Amino acid sequence: MAEETTDELMRATYRALCKRGYAALTMRDIADESSKSKATLHYHFDGKHDLLVSFLEFLDERFARKIAAIDADDPTARLFALLDVACPSAEGDSGEFQTAMLELTAQAPYEKAYRERLLGFETRLRAEFERVLDSGVESGAFDDDVEPERTAEFLLTAIDGAQTRRVAVGHDADKMREMIRNYVETAVVSDESPRRTEVRAE
């Protein structure tokens, strides 16, 4: 499939998910959001399941590009930039899409292909957190008692919980995002870090 066609169909899938959610989503809904016919979708994908597996791969590739685009060598700046990518503000995020993704994620225990893609995404994010935490501890930017593996796991759990609570019970996403950032500021960043000094000066 041509890259242009793939991009159009994936973006159409995004729009359809925002409007219809996962459970009610049909191939017709996706076709209606693109310039392609339903027959074209069925030519490239066996059905909704196959298309959504490709959509998860598309999201993972896009996320990888966002991480690669982070232009920060300083461990503290890179960690906060990574948090911004992994846990965006509500203003720049679609609540409808997050709802649809929660529905899709709930199918992972029963759908191996979904589970494998979601696990790949989580593994990538965990590795990025561990890498920057290791670098920060080694450079002295982060407290020397920070355990990269445990801290990365905590951050993953906190981000996942924040997103789930936002969708399930309407918690303020930006407040929860700020709590995660405050945790990093107080429990991870060293007292000697320039960022901590700047925060105290404010």
Side-chain angles (χ1 to χ4, degrees), residues 106-122:
Q107 304 304 309
Y110 318 105
E111 296 285 355
K112 182 180 178 182
Y114 293 172
R115 184 167 63 252
E116 288 176 345
R117 271 66 180 183
L118 291 168
L119 181 59
F121 173 85
E122 182 179 285

Side-chain angles (χ1 to χ4, degrees), residues 158-172:
I159 291 169
D160 183 64
Q163 293 171 342
T164 299
R165 293 180 73 197
R166 172 192 176 185
V167 171
V169 292
H171 275 277
D172 188 316

Side-chain angles (χ1 to χ4, degrees), residues 1-12 45 54 58:
M1 192 190 320
E3 183 177 347
E4 183 178 342
T5 300
T6 299
D7 189 67
E8 179 181 351
L9 293 180
M10 295 301 101
R11 293 182 184 281
F45 302 101
S54 293
F58 171 79

